[in-house]
Amino acid sequence: MNFIRRVLMVLGIAGIAGALLRVRGKSEPSSQRGGWRPLNPPTDPLTNQTSSQN
C-alpha cells in the first residue's frame, strides 16, 4: 500500500511541475510564431526592383 501511495505522490508532483513549466515557460504569444505568409506581394519598391532583375 505504501508503494502505491509513493507512486501516486511522485506522479502528482511530476504533473504539477510539468504544468508549472508549461505555463511559466511561455515567453511569447503563440500567434507570433510560424503562420502563413501573406499572399499579396510586398509594396516595397526595392523588393520589386530586385525581383524584376532576376
Side-chain angles (χ1 to χ4, degrees):
M1 193 67 172
N2 282 338
F3 178 74
I4 295 173
R5 286 182 184 168
R6 286 182 184 172
V7 168
L8 291 176
M9 184 178 66
V10 168
L11 289 175
I13 292 172
I16 292 170
L20 286 175
L21 287 175
R22 185 176 176 103
V23 170
R24 304 274 296 172
K26 292 183 179 179
S27 61
E28 64 184 48
S30 61
S31 62
Q32 292 182 357
R33 287 182 278 152
W36 293 89
R37 292 184 180 178
L39 292 177
N40 298 332
T43 57
D44 187 16
L46 296 176
T47 306
N48 291 337
Q49 287 176 357
T50 56
S51 63
S52 62
Q53 291 176 355
N54 290 338

